[in-house]
Structures are given as structure tokens and as C-alpha cells.
Amino acid sequence: MNSSAAAFAETPQGEIENPLLRQLAVLCRLNETDRAALDRLLEHTEWIPAGATIDRQGRPIRFVHALLAGVACRHKDFRDGRRQIIGILLPGDLCGDPATASRPADYHVRALTRARVAKVSIERFQATLDQNPGVANAFHRAALLEGAVLRAWVVNLGQRQAHERLAHLFCEIAHRMLGCGLTLADGSFQIPLTQRDLGTALGLTSVHVNRVLQRLRAEALVDFYDGVLRIHDAHRLWALANFDPAYLCH
Amino acid sequence: MNSSAAAFAETPQGEIENPLLRQLAVLCRLNETDRAALDRLLEHTEWIPAGATIDRQGRPIRFVHALLAGVACRHKDFRDGRRQIIGILLPGDLCGDPATASRPADYHVRALTRARVAKVSIERFQATLDQNPGVANAFHRAALLEGAVLRAWVVNLGQRQAHERLAHLFCEIAHRMLGCGLTLADGSFQIPLTQRDLGTALGLTSVHVNRVLQRLRAEALVDFYDGVLRIHDAHRLWALANFDPAYLCH
DNA sequence: CGGTTGATTGAGGCTGCTCAAAAGGTGTGG
DNA sequence: CCACACCTTTTGAGCAGCCTCAATCAACCG
């Protein structure tokens, strides 16, 4: 699976355009000035290796990071070793906010694959917001969308059984992947999560995730193998998950 | 329990000052102009009965509501009857955002007690933000805090067992109640949730909540009875819940 | 006084966890 | 090139946390 994970970040789709711009343009109209400002924000980008920590729980966030290629996640760690993934970051997603600059972060952000990130200082990011109301508005809407996803996660963890939970997570990721243009022609896409990662995101053990995956595969709903997700019957998957993409369409 | 629930909204502490101002002043400095603007926002307030719906899932949000007295909650409903509470609103909390005005809400907001709310039109709210950068900043920080609480809920539901979950929810509410000045001298306070409500917030059945409450009571940690929560051993309760109030202190 | 809602208790069962072990793949050092 | 460590996936057996179903009781209300 490392082979596909390593290849993931190099998929051509991720490089064609500015993923941040693509994502924000969906949320609200951006004029040429806004677009230019966003492009300038991404002047300094770097590649980081899989597993690298982008923001550390307990440390102040001194940079806003934009993920441009690869996959990352937010997670919270307990002292006793328990861990909960609280969000998946796909190309075009942001983390960090100028208003929280002085406060220690309450979660980690970690790259799951080799990833390309733009690192923008808090000050510069704030200046861009101040000078470009359109950009500020777009970021605000992005934050609202993030909140909606978080609410959906609460519902997922609180009300759904393991197979429904997994189905819902797959629906969410598939929907967002589609928006990123990272879905292949046959509807499959690379999402380099281990079964352990899925468990950490869904409040399940990897053993149980494995069994649920086998069940979903046996029912010809999805096939998750070697970091590639193939959805065989999107209609039944949505029904199983009670998935309503409205919350993702702000 | 209805007697205490009905009395809740009238507790004198809730009426002394502007709860919205108190809450936002904790998050950032507000000058006199900002304070005056906030006061003007609350010119039109009304009392609504317990159980009233403030915002309806699926309907656009046309007003920003500020809760000034009483308790409310956000919740999402499934078609099959399942329900998940995704947040508790205490005096000084807000719901609604101008940026989501045209979109249907993805959750309900409902008063759990008789409640006093200020109803501000989207346009007026937006105008206040535009004219008072300090207020806009404060609301932005309030939104970030709301996100932090939501992340804590994800962790709570994903990683903790029933007794830890309940303990953590009690810690969160107690901490926020303290900030509202609604905690009595002995550390107890009124929080008009039924055991069913607690279950709906924690992804548990009311039957199990009942058994867990008995356990917490037997261990002399907390006593929840008739809508009044008494914390007998905050230290052990925090330890049980793995509670770290840092996320509530933005 | 009947109806409704919430709290409580009991019995039984299922979902998902724990513990354990083995197989396959990958990277590393000798 | 092989031995070895490590990680992920897979499978099995047993268990326990939490649920379901059901019934009772208390409080409140029209």
C-alpha cells in the first residue's frame, strides 16, 4: 500500500490548477484581485514527507497551512494513548486561523501521505484577509463548511452503527474527492488510510473495521483495498449511510 | 422537574447584565463603541416557551438569534426517528450566521426551557459586523470556540465509554455555566436536561444513562436530580472524564 | 381520575471490544 | 541476498458494554 500512497501525491490532477482557488471559488464568487491574492499566498510551497506533523497539539499555530496535494488529518491524542481523528484534509483544505495564533492548538495536524503544503505566516494571512474582503468571505465560508462536516461527524459517531458509520465516511470522502477532481473515471480514487486510521476516525477498533469492510465488500457496496476505494453501488451506499450531501454544499 | 425548569430562566443572575456582552468580552477586548453596538443588537428580545423551535432543519436561517436566558440545544433528526444533539446553548450563546442565510439549516435549534432570545435580522447583524470590527472579531472568536467544543464532542463520542462521556459532558456544562455566572454558591446549578436528552447528546439510550448516573452517584462524583446538577468531587470527575478545560478558554 | 412524561429496574441479546496468533508486504542491516 | 523487525491485514474465541423490550412507579396536568 505504500506504493500507492507514495504515488498519490503525484497524481496529475492535483497539479493542474490551484486547489485552494478551486475550493474557495465553489464557496463564493472571487474577482480577479481575490484570485491573484490567493495565488500570491501560495508562492512558497514545500513538500513534506508522509507522517510529518504540520501542527502540534499544545503548540501555538504560527502559520496557516493550505494543503495543495496529498492527504492529511486532524487528530486529538489522549495521554493514555487513545486517539481520535477529527477530520480529513484533502487538497484545497486549510488549517489554522489568525485568531487562534496565540493559543495552543487543541489538536494535531499530520500528513498521511507525502504532501505539498503552502505555509503562510499569520501576519501575512491576516493582511491578505484585510486587503481582500472577497478572500476573507471565502475563508469564512470555508470555516462554516468545516463546522458542518464536524456536526456530521458528531451525528455519525453518536447515532450510527459501525457499517453505517464507515459507509458515511466513505460517502463524505468520495463527495469531497469528486470536488477535488481526484476521482478516476471508474469512480474509484486513492485514499491512503489504513484500517487502523479508519477505526481511529470512527471510534472503532481496526479489527472491527476489517470485519465491517469485509461485509461491505460481500454486499458489493464498496471495495477498499491497498489504499484505493471503489464504490460499486453508490445508491445503496448512500441509503445505508443515510447520506445527504446537502451539508457539503455551502 | 418542571418546577425547576420553569424557574430556571428567571434566575436573577441571568438578568443582571447583557450575557452576550459578558461572553464576547471574555473572548476579546471590546471598546465602548462595540459594547454599545452589542447592546443595540439586543433591543428586541422576546420570551419563548420551553420546547419552541428557534431554527428548523431544512429551512433557511433568516435571523441570528442570541440566547439571553434559558437553555437551548442544536440537534439533527433522521427520517427514521434517530436524533443527535450536537450542542447545548447557554445564555450568551449565538446561533445563525449571515453567510449561511440563503442555505437551509442542517440542524434544528430548540429551546429546552422557557428562554429569552434576541432576534436580529441577517441584514442588521451583518451591518453591525461591518461597522464594528471589534464585534466582528468577537463573533469570529465565538465561532472558533464553538468549533473547539464540537471537536471535543467528536472525541467524546468516539473514544470514551458511557460513564466517561457523561462525566465529560457534565464538566463542559459546569465550566460554561460558571462562565455564565449561573452556578450557585455550593457549585450546583440548574440544567434542565432529561436523562433522555443526555442520551440523545451522548449517543446512549436513556436506560443506560440512568444506570450510569446511578453509578456516578454511588461513587459520590455527581448527583443529577430534578434538573439540578451537583458536582461532589470535581477533581475525580475531571480525572474520570480526562477533562482539560483549555479548549474552552479561547 | 385517566393520560402523559420521566425515572427506574430486570432479563436477555447483539454489537463491538480484547486478546491472541498468523500471514503478507516492506524496509533495513549484516 | 537473507535475516530480521515492523506494520497492516486477517481470523478466531470469548467477553462485556450497551441496547431492546418490558413493566412499574412517581409526578404532573387537563
Side-chain angles (χ1 to χ4, degrees):
Chain A
M1 91 138 263
N2 275 345
S3 56
S4 67
F8 177 84
E10 281 82 4
T11 46
Q13 293 92 334
E15 301 290 343
I16 288 176
E17 52 175 15
N18 177 336
L20 184 61
L21 186 56
R22 175 194 45 67
Q23 177 120 321
L24 295 178
V26 174
L27 297 173
C28 77
R29 286 168 185 274
L30 295 169
N31 62 33
E32 277 314 308
T33 315
D34 297 330
R35 290 167 187 267
L38 280 173
D39 272 334
R40 277 197 306 278
L41 272 187
L42 307 190
E43 268 166 8
H44 303 292
T45 69
E46 55 185 280
W47 283 97
I48 60 173
T53 297
I54 298 172
D55 288 314
R56 192 174 298 276
Q57 187 172 334
R59 302 269 182 85
I61 296 179
R62 301 168 63 184
F63 295 90
V64 174
H65 289 97
L67 184 64
L68 302 177
V71 176
C73 73
R74 302 174 210 267
H75 60 93
K76 281 187 178 235
D77 289 7
F78 285 29
R79 287 189 201 134
D80 63 11
R82 280 182 282 185
R83 168 178 292 182
Q84 174 71 39
I85 291 178
I86 53 179
I88 308 288
L89 298 178
L90 301 182
D93 286 334
L94 283 163
C95 55
D97 187 298
T100 61
S102 57
R103 289 275 150 198
D106 66 331
Y107 55 86
H108 292 286
V109 181
R110 194 165 48 94
L112 292 169
T113 60
R114 192 165 101 89
R116 192 169 145 236
V117 294
K119 194 172 174 178
V120 185
S121 75
I122 293 291
E123 296 75 19
R124 175 148 184 234
F125 189 83
Q126 184 64 55
T128 302
L129 295 185
D130 293 340
Q131 291 156 25
N132 303 88
V135 173
N137 186 24
F139 280 124
H140 182 216
R141 283 173 185 272
L144 292 174
L145 179 56
E146 195 185 311
V149 171
L150 222 35
R151 288 192 292 272
W153 278 50
V154 169
V155 173
N156 207 24
L157 290 166
Q159 293 299 316
R160 283 193 263 260
Q161 299 202 329
H163 58 289
E164 303 171 310
R165 246 185 254 185
L166 195 51
H168 197 276
L169 180 62
F170 283 158
C171 288
E172 180 203 312
I173 293 176
H175 201 274
R176 291 172 57 200
M177 273 288 182
L178 199 60
C180 292
L182 291 172
T183 307
L184 303 182
D186 65 351
S188 69
F189 53 86
Q190 292 177 44
I191 178 73
L193 299 168
T194 64
Q195 294 182 12
R196 193 183 192 192
D197 292 331
L198 290 172
T200 306
L202 296 171
L204 302 169
T205 59
S206 60
V207 172
H208 200 61
V209 167
N210 182 278
R211 292 183 167 124
V212 172
L213 277 174
Q214 290 178 47
R215 173 176 161 184
L216 294 181
R217 196 179 307 152
E219 293 176 357
L221 283 171
V222 301
D223 188 357
F224 181 70
Y225 186 67
D226 203 29
V228 175
L229 183 67
R230 284 194 180 76
I231 296 179
H232 293 123
D233 190 332
H235 190 265
R236 281 200 298 138
L237 188 68
W238 283 31
L240 174 63
N242 219 309
F243 180 69
D244 177 1
Y247 75 98
L248 289 172
C249 311
H250 263 251
Chain B
M1 92 139 263
N2 274 344
S3 55
S4 67
F8 177 83
E10 280 82 3
T11 46
Q13 294 92 334
E15 301 290 342
I16 287 175
E17 53 175 14
N18 177 337
L20 184 59
L21 186 55
R22 175 195 44 68
Q23 177 118 321
L24 295 179
V26 174
L27 297 173
C28 76
R29 285 167 186 275
L30 295 169
N31 62 32
E32 276 313 308
T33 314
D34 296 330
R35 290 165 187 269
L38 280 174
D39 272 334
R40 278 197 305 278
L41 272 186
L42 306 190
E43 269 167 6
H44 304 293
T45 70
E46 55 185 279
W47 284 96
I48 61 172
T53 297
I54 298 172
D55 289 313
R56 192 173 298 276
Q57 188 172 333
R59 301 271 182 84
I61 296 178
R62 302 168 62 185
F63 295 90
V64 174
H65 288 97
L67 184 63
L68 302 176
V71 176
C73 73
R74 301 173 211 268
H75 59 93
K76 282 189 179 230
D77 288 6
F78 285 28
R79 288 189 202 135
D80 64 11
R82 280 181 282 185
R83 168 177 292 182
Q84 174 70 40
I85 291 178
I86 53 178
I88 308 288
L89 298 178
L90 301 182
D93 286 334
L94 282 163
C95 56
D97 187 297
T100 62
S102 57
R103 289 275 153 198
D106 65 333
Y107 55 86
H108 292 285
V109 181
R110 194 164 48 94
L112 292 170
T113 62
R114 192 165 102 88
R116 192 168 145 236
V117 295
K119 193 172 173 178
V120 185
S121 75
I122 293 292
E123 296 75 18
R124 178 151 181 231
F125 190 84
Q126 184 63 56
T128 302
L129 295 185
D130 292 341
Q131 291 156 25
N132 303 87
V135 172
N137 186 23
F139 279 123
H140 182 215
R141 284 172 185 271
L144 291 175
L145 180 55
E146 195 184 310
V149 172
L150 222 35
R151 288 191 293 271
W153 278 51
V154 169
V155 173
N156 207 24
L157 289 166
Q159 294 299 315
R160 284 192 263 260
Q161 298 202 330
H163 58 290
E164 302 171 310
R165 245 184 255 184
L166 195 50
H168 197 276
L169 180 62
F170 283 157
C171 287
E172 178 201 313
I173 294 176
H175 200 273
R176 290 172 56 199
M177 273 286 182
L178 198 61
C180 293
L182 291 172
T183 307
L184 302 182
D186 64 351
S188 70
F189 53 85
Q190 293 177 44
I191 179 73
L193 299 167
T194 64
Q195 295 183 8
R196 192 183 192 191
D197 292 331
L198 290 173
T200 306
L202 296 171
L204 302 169
T205 59
S206 60
V207 172
H208 200 61
V209 167
N210 182 279
R211 292 185 167 124
V212 172
L213 278 175
Q214 289 179 48
R215 173 176 161 182
L216 294 182
R217 197 178 307 153
E219 293 176 357
L221 283 171
V222 302
D223 188 359
F224 182 69
Y225 186 69
D226 203 30
V228 175
L229 184 66
R230 285 194 179 76
I231 296 179
H232 292 123
D233 191 332
H235 190 264
R236 280 200 299 137
L237 188 67
W238 283 31
L240 175 64
N242 219 308
F243 181 69
D244 177 0
Y247 74 98
L248 289 172
C249 311
H250 264 251

